[in-house]
């Protein structure tokens, strides 16, 4: 395999020569130049970000591509297309000697270096000359230089490859040149009238596959080392930016090229490392990483040593070896400082910060040593260094981390908005396309915390409609899972499952993404089983979730909450309370997100309420409401108000409970959370029922209160029905039947009782 020259590049050189000769008219100039530039410029400058499966054919020009690009354009010669002239140019190279002559004439296409003398007008060439530093000029110069460096054996192989490359056009060439025959590929054989299948031809050329259907040799002879490096670099960029694995078709091609004896660049080991890492193959990824950096260290000394350690640290962290990952990252920081590699140093410190947020226990020793300082100091340091190094992507990520830290600690929401707006401005002005996923996920989260469900949903949909194609797969999967959970909160379970199924299956070939997706899908199904009162199925799903590894604290928290709710559905409040106390202790020790801590506190108050001692949860609910109001966590605040209302009802303060819950209900409905709305309507119905009980029998006030009770029960039943909550529906129907029976309306009471039994029967059939 040649280092640079291939038959397809000779075809491009022939087309460039035609353009220089002036036979390409003005109408065809832009299409021809666009075709040439698309193969000459670096791969990463191409606008093919949506294509995840670029193969070797995207980096080489087949003879069919040359034909389709030129056959529709007329040339400056009447009656001839550019394809006709290009075909003549290729078939004019009819011997190894003419191939040498073709490359010897290439310098005539370039401008001469300025030597201080001005040539007279008559001595200037009539063809168009290329600047030596232009894309076309640089390609011509390098091609001519590479040809002069070729050994005779490599030159003859290039000549044979050219014969195979243009063989499919023999029939077309015969129509234009009737004198052409089977031996037209070599003027020496044709002039001496040698049999193309004779002894001499076989001795010189061997059994060349001149039939267009036998292109097995062409597949490898038309690929150079330079093309292979471009292909592998492109695959590396695709795996690092979107985060996907090598497509299966490309894996097959790489294996075929390795078996064929072609020289594979050392970057192939890095491609194997990334693919094995994302597939979850720890031994293979570890081995490929060492092999790649063993090769590079031989030629580049220790300049890449810190990147080897960086990759090793990230690899160890993904496979659960956290202490080894921290040790490797500390050595990365030290080596990057020693080599004055600021981008690597800043990225390593940013990774340590993010790792510390996810695994605070593993960072305890580093925090004691004061490597990063406090979280706010670390973020300030990273912002300053990112600005100094013009690392705009890191700066945008740091600003979003600052906003997340403010929200997690319950600090000022306006400051969090300020950081988000700064990150958004940076993404727009610096064209950071891969930053929109994290930005819109943060915007959706902050509006979700503020209780504006429609706005949170809009940001998710906006990202999926406009930015999903140019964002990393991790961001796309996270937002798809978030939108699925939002659909589930609205009771649209089937749409939520469908949204989860819309995840790109190519992205799910990466182990970490697959585990994240499966865990979210399992949590969705577990919540649905709990709402349907399918406790046995819930036990099965919960066991699977607890057995599967997950390194995301938020998912682990959701699994723990679901386990507590499962025990509550069973009536095992002692076990549920014990698990909740342990969860609260862990959250406080880890200084977890205030949203998670407050939700756990409210759940504790609800356990006391369902256990028949709601007043024991009064202080917890009141404290949660105070902290939620301070942190502007409005959905949590409304739920805490509901828990306080239940305590007031138990204390026979029905009027205060009704006023409290009635004031927050309109804003609670904006959260688009059916469980929350059903809980508040149920509390409101109990409050009105208590006020009706305090009124005089048969009075107008009692009738009004009972009417409001029925309205609240109907609204609660509607919300419970949306989320398929069997117990909630049955509870509302039972209360409604009781009221009808008390009012003496036996027909409606029987209807409610029959509906209650139908709901129970339907639930048993589904189970």
């Amino acid at each position: 395999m040649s280092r640079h020259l291939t038959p397809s590049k000779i075809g491009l050189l022939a087309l460039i020569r035609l353009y220089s000769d002036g036979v390409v008219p003005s109408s065809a100039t832009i299409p021809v130049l666009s075709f040439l530039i698309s193969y000459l410029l670096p791969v990463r400058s191409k606008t093919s970000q949506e294509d995840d499966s670029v193969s070797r054919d995207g980096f080489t020009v087949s003879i069919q591509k040359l034909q389709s690009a030129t056959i529709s354009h007329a040339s400056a010669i009447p009656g001839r297309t550019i394809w006709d002239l290009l075909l003549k140019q290729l078939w004019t190279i009819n011997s190894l000697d003419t191939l040498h002559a073709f490359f010897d004439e290439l310098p005539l296409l370039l401008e001469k270096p300025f030597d201080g003398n001005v040539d007279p007008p008559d001595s200037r060439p009539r063809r168009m000359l290329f600047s030596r530093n232009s894309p076309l000029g640089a390609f011509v110069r390098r091609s001519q230089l590479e040809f002069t460096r070729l050994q005779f054996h490599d030159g003859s192989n290039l000549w044979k490859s050219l014969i195979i490359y243009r063989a499919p056009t023999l029939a077309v060439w015969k129509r234009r040149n009737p004198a052409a025959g089977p031996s037209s590929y070599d003027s020496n054989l044709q002039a001496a009238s040698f049999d193309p299948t004779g002894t001499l031809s076989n001795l010189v050329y061997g059994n060349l596959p001149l039939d267009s259907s036998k292109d097995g040799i062409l597949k490898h002879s038309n690929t150079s080392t330079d093309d292979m490096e471009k292909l592998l670099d492109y695959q590396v960029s695709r795996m690092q930016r979107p985060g996907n694995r090598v497509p299966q078709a490309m894996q097959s091609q790489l294996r075929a090229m390795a078996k064929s004896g072609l020289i594979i660049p050392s970057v192939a080991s890095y491609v194997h490392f990334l693919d094995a890492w994302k597939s979850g193959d720890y031994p293979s990824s570890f081995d490929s990483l060492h092999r790649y950096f063993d090769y590079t260290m031989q030629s580049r000394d220790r300049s890449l040593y810190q990147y080897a350690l960086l990759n090793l640290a990230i690899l160890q962290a993904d496979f659960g070896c956290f202490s080894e990952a921290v040790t490797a990252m500390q050595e990365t920081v030290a080596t990057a400082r020693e080599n004055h590699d600021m981008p690597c140093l800043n990225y390593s410190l940013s990774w340590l910060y993010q790792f510390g947020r996810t695994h605070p226990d593993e960072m305890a020793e580093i925090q004691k040593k004061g490597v990063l300082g406090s979280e706010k100091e670390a973020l300030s340091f990273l912002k300053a260094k990112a600005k100094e190094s013009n690392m705009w992507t890191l700066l945008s990520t740091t600003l979003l981390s600052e906003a997340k830290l403010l929200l997690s600690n319950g600090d000022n929401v306006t400051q969090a908005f300020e950081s988000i707006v700064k990150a958004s401005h940076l993404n727009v002005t610096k064209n950071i396309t891969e930053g929109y996923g994290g930005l819109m996920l943060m915007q959706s989260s902050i509006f979700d915390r503020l209780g504006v469900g429609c706005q949170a949903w809009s940001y998710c949909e906006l990202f999926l409609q406009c930015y999903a194609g140019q964002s990393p797969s991790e961001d796309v999967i996270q937002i798809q899972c978030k939108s699925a959970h939002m659909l589930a909160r609205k009771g649209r379970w089937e749409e939520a499952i469908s949204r989860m199924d819309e995840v790109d299956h190519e992205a799910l070939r990466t182990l970490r993404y697959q585990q994240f997706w499966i865990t979210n899908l399992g949590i969705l199904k577990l919540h649905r089983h709990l709402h349907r009162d399918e406790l046995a199925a819930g036990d099965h799903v919960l066991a699977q979730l607890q057995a599967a590894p997950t390194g995301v604290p938020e998912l682990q928290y959701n699994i723990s909450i679901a386990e507590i709710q499962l025990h509550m559905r069973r009536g095992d409040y002692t076990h549920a309370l014990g698990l909740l106390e342990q969860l609260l202790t862990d959250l406080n020790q880890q200084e977890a997100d205030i949203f998670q801590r407050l939700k756990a506190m409210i759940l504790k108050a609800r356990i006391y309420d369902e256990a028949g001692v709601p007043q024991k949860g009064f202080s917890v609910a009141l404290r949660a409401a105070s902290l939620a109001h301070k942190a502007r966590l409005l959905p949590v605040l409304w739920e805490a108000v509901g828990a306080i209302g239940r305590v007031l009802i138990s204390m026979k303060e029905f009027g205060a409970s009704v006023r409290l819950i009635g004031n927050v209900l309109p804003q609670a409905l904006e959260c688009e959370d059916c469980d929350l709305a059903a809980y508040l309507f149920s509390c409101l119905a109990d409050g009105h029922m208590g006020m009706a009980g305090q009124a005089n029998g048969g009075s107008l006030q009692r009738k009004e209160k009972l009417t409001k009770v029925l309205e609240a029960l109907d609204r609660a039943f509607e919300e419970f029905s949306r989320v398929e909550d069997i117990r909630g529906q049955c509870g509302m129907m039972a209360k409604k039947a009781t009221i009808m029976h008390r009012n003496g309306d036996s027909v409606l009471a029987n209807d409610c009782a029959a509906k209650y039994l139908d709901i129970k029967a339907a639930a048993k059939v589904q189970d």
Side-chain angles (χ1 to χ4, degrees):
M1 180 170 59
S2 171
R3 182 172 60 179
H4 176 74
L5 288 176
T6 59
S8 62
K9 288 186 171 64
I10 295 178
L12 293 177
L13 288 171
L15 183 58
I16 291 173
R17 185 168 178 174
L18 289 177
Y19 177 74
S20 176
D21 290 339
V23 297
V24 177
S26 300
S27 59
T29 298
I30 293 179
V32 169
L33 287 179
S34 299
F35 176 77
L36 289 170
I37 292 300
S38 65
Y39 288 96
L40 299 185
L41 288 184
V43 177
R44 293 177 184 175
S45 64
K46 293 184 180 181
T47 59
S48 58
Q49 296 179 353
E50 294 83 5
D51 185 12
D52 292 332
S53 58
V54 176
S55 64
R56 182 177 62 248
D57 297 334
F59 297 85
T60 58
V61 190
S62 64
I63 195 67
Q64 290 78 13
K65 289 182 180 180
L66 278 174
Q67 181 178 3
S68 61
T70 56
I71 197 171
S72 59
H73 301 291
S75 68
I77 301 176
R80 293 289 186 268
T81 64
I82 299 177
W83 166 246
D84 295 331
L85 301 180
L86 179 61
L87 192 63
K88 180 180 179 182
Q89 187 81 251
L90 291 175
W91 280 95
T92 303
I93 307 175
N94 52 14
S95 66
L96 183 59
D97 180 66
T98 54
L99 180 64
H100 278 268
F102 175 81
F103 278 96
D104 290 341
E105 294 174 357
L106 287 181
L108 300 177
L109 306 179
L110 304 174
E111 291 182 346
K112 295 181 180 180
F114 182 71
D115 55 0
N117 298 322
V118 179
D119 296 333
D122 295 339
S123 63
R124 296 175 185 174
R126 296 182 179 180
R127 60 161 47 108
M128 182 188 305
L129 300 181
F130 303 114
S131 170
R132 305 179 74 85
N133 294 326
S134 66
L136 297 182
F139 176 69
V140 169
R141 283 196 303 123
R142 184 179 179 187
S143 299
Q144 199 272 337
L145 178 63
E146 292 290 342
F147 186 78
T148 57
R149 290 177 174 178
L150 286 179
Q151 301 292 329
F152 178 80
H153 175 73
D154 296 328
S156 62
N157 286 337
L158 178 63
W159 162 240
K160 294 177 184 179
S161 300
L162 178 62
I163 295 175
I164 302 171
Y165 178 76
R166 69 185 180 190
T169 63
L170 178 60
V172 181
W173 176 241
K174 281 184 178 180
R175 288 199 296 268
R176 293 293 184 184
N177 186 13
S183 58
S184 296
Y185 60 87
D186 191 330
S187 60
N188 297 306
L189 295 178
Q190 189 175 20
S193 301
F194 282 110
D195 183 6
T197 60
T199 305
L200 181 60
S201 299
N202 290 334
L203 181 64
V204 176
Y205 292 105
N207 296 321
L208 290 179
L210 300 180
D211 187 358
S212 60
S213 62
K214 300 176 181 179
D215 57 351
I217 297 178
L218 179 59
K219 289 183 179 180
H220 301 306
S221 62
N222 200 27
T223 305
S224 65
T225 304
D226 186 50
D227 295 331
M228 281 292 300
E229 289 181 351
K230 288 181 180 179
L231 174 61
L232 293 173
D233 287 340
Y234 180 79
Q235 293 301 326
V236 169
S237 66
R238 294 299 297 165
M239 283 191 285
Q240 288 179 336
R241 289 180 179 271
N244 296 337
R245 292 179 57 193
V246 178
Q248 294 180 348
M250 177 53 58
Q251 289 182 357
S252 301
Q253 291 187 5
L254 290 176
R255 285 193 295 267
M257 286 186 284
K259 292 179 180 179
S260 65
L262 296 177
I263 301 175
I264 306 298
S266 61
V267 72
S269 298
Y270 193 69
V271 173
H272 293 154
F273 153 68
L274 291 175
D275 188 67
W277 168 26
K278 294 181 181 299
S279 67
D281 187 355
Y282 177 75
S284 298
S285 58
F286 197 80
D287 181 64
S288 298
L289 178 64
H290 278 276
R291 183 180 295 114
Y292 171 68
F293 281 102
D294 284 344
Y295 289 148
T296 55
M297 290 283 286
Q298 294 177 2
S299 57
R300 304 182 187 180
D301 201 14
R302 289 175 58 88
S303 60
L304 294 179
Y305 182 55
Q306 61 269 23
Y307 292 99
L309 293 170
L310 178 63
N311 281 275
L312 179 61
I314 299 174
L315 175 67
Q316 299 280 21
D318 272 3
F319 286 98
C321 305
F322 299 130
S323 58
E324 292 85 349
V326 172
T327 303
M329 191 58 74
Q330 285 181 289
E331 190 173 351
T332 303
V333 171
T335 308
R337 283 175 176 167
E338 179 184 346
N339 294 337
H340 304 287
D341 191 343
M342 295 308 298
C344 182
L345 176 61
N346 294 337
Y347 182 84
S348 302
L349 294 175
S350 175
W351 186 92
L352 278 174
Y353 170 78
Q354 300 293 344
F355 183 80
R357 293 284 303 167
T358 309
H359 307 282
D361 296 338
E362 301 294 336
M363 295 289 292
E365 292 297 328
I366 294 182
Q367 294 294 343
K368 290 179 181 178
K369 295 178 181 178
V371 175
L372 291 175
S374 65
E375 292 183 340
K376 292 184 179 180
E377 291 174 349
L379 289 175
S380 300
F381 175 79
L382 288 173
K383 285 194 297 183
K385 291 301 180 182
K387 289 180 181 178
E388 290 177 5
S389 306
N390 292 335
M391 299 178 64
W392 307 121
T393 303
L394 176 60
L395 180 57
S396 175
T397 304
T398 306
L399 288 170
L400 293 179
S401 298
E402 185 178 37
K404 186 175 182 180
L405 178 63
L406 291 169
L407 295 176
S408 178
N409 293 337
D411 293 334
N412 197 339
V413 178
T414 56
Q415 293 181 1
F417 267 112
E418 181 182 354
S419 297
I420 291 175
V421 171
K422 287 180 179 179
S424 178
H425 175 74
L426 197 63
N427 289 346
V428 173
T429 55
K430 302 301 180 181
N431 194 26
I432 308 174
T433 56
E434 63 271 15
Y436 285 107
L439 173 66
M440 292 194 169
L441 184 62
M442 181 61 65
Q443 289 173 320
S444 176
S445 298
I446 194 171
F447 279 108
D448 202 12
R449 286 169 173 253
L450 292 174
V452 190
C454 59
Q455 191 74 10
W457 169 258
S458 299
Y459 275 110
C460 291
E461 288 299 296
L462 178 63
F463 172 81
L464 294 176
Q465 293 292 332
C466 302
Y467 299 103
Q470 56 189 2
S471 298
S473 298
E474 183 176 9
D475 293 340
V476 177
I477 294 175
Q478 284 183 351
I479 291 184
Q480 283 180 316
C481 291
K482 180 176 178 59
S483 61
H485 285 291
M486 295 177 70
L487 287 170
R489 287 192 330 216
K490 300 176 185 178
R492 296 155 62 179
W493 294 104
E494 297 300 332
E495 294 182 38
I497 300 298
S498 299
R499 176 58 58 90
M500 294 294 291
D501 291 336
E502 291 175 3
V503 174
D504 185 14
H505 293 286
E506 187 66 29
L508 293 180
R509 294 178 61 232
T510 301
L511 179 64
R512 184 159 57 92
Y513 302 161
Q514 185 186 50
Q515 290 175 344
F516 181 83
W517 177 80
I518 289 176
T519 304
N520 278 279
L521 183 61
I523 292 173
L524 274 178
K525 292 183 176 180
L526 176 56
H527 282 299
R528 193 176 192 183
H529 287 316
L530 292 179
H531 283 84
R532 290 180 168 184
D533 212 26
E534 300 169 353
L535 303 184
D539 271 331
H540 180 68
V541 176
L542 179 62
Q544 291 181 328
L545 289 173
Q546 290 176 334
T550 173
V552 183
E554 183 180 356
L555 295 182
Q556 193 61 47
Y557 167 80
N558 291 333
I559 294 172
S560 301
I561 292 294
E563 182 182 9
I564 295 170
Q565 292 174 343
L566 179 62
H567 289 292
M568 291 174 62
R569 294 267 178 174
R570 283 206 174 94
D572 189 0
Y573 298 113
T574 303
H575 193 187
L577 189 59
L579 292 175
L580 184 59
E581 291 288 357
Q582 181 60 44
L583 178 61
L584 280 169
T585 302
D586 294 340
L587 293 175
N588 291 328
Q589 289 178 351
Q590 297 173 3
E591 297 182 357
D593 190 348
I594 190 173
F595 179 84
Q596 298 177 354
R597 287 180 281 169
L598 295 182
K599 288 287 286 185
M601 291 169 64
I602 296 173
L603 186 59
K604 184 176 181 180
R606 295 186 67 168
I607 290 177
Y608 284 130
D609 179 35
E610 294 188 16
V613 284
Q615 296 180 21
K616 292 187 68 174
F618 178 70
S619 60
V620 177
L622 194 61
R623 183 167 175 241
S626 175
L627 293 175
H629 180 266
K630 180 181 178 181
R632 297 297 186 269
L633 296 175
L634 299 188
V636 181
L637 176 60
W638 310 146
E639 190 175 2
V641 168
I644 295 173
R646 296 295 300 176
V647 175
L648 293 175
I649 290 172
S650 70
M651 299 170 63
K652 298 185 180 181
E653 296 289 342
F654 304 113
S657 175
V658 168
R659 289 192 300 272
L660 188 62
I661 297 175
N663 288 332
V664 304
L665 249 176
Q667 291 177 290
L669 294 177
E670 294 181 2
C671 299
E672 298 184 352
D673 188 342
C674 292
D675 282 322
L676 175 61
Y679 176 64
L680 292 177
F681 275 118
S682 176
C683 295
L684 184 64
D686 291 343
H688 282 300
M689 191 65 190
M691 294 179 69
Q694 291 178 343
N696 296 327
S699 64
L700 181 61
Q701 183 182 6
R702 171 173 282 192
K703 291 181 180 180
E704 290 178 353
K705 292 301 178 183
L706 288 177
T707 302
K708 291 183 178 180
V709 170
L710 293 176
E711 290 178 357
L713 288 176
D714 288 338
R715 290 296 303 272
F717 179 82
E718 181 183 348
E719 299 294 337
F720 279 127
S721 300
R722 287 180 181 175
V723 291
E724 303 176 3
D725 192 330
I726 302 300
R727 289 196 180 185
Q729 295 177 64
C730 291
M732 297 305 103
M733 279 296 105
K735 291 179 181 180
K736 192 173 181 180
T738 303
I739 295 174
M740 295 300 178
H741 180 71
R742 289 279 185 176
N743 289 339
D745 196 341
S746 58
V747 176
L748 291 178
N750 290 334
D751 289 343
C752 292
K755 194 169 185 179
Y756 174 91
L757 295 176
D758 291 341
I759 294 172
K760 283 285 189 182
K764 289 182 179 179
V765 171
Q766 290 179 356
D767 197 9

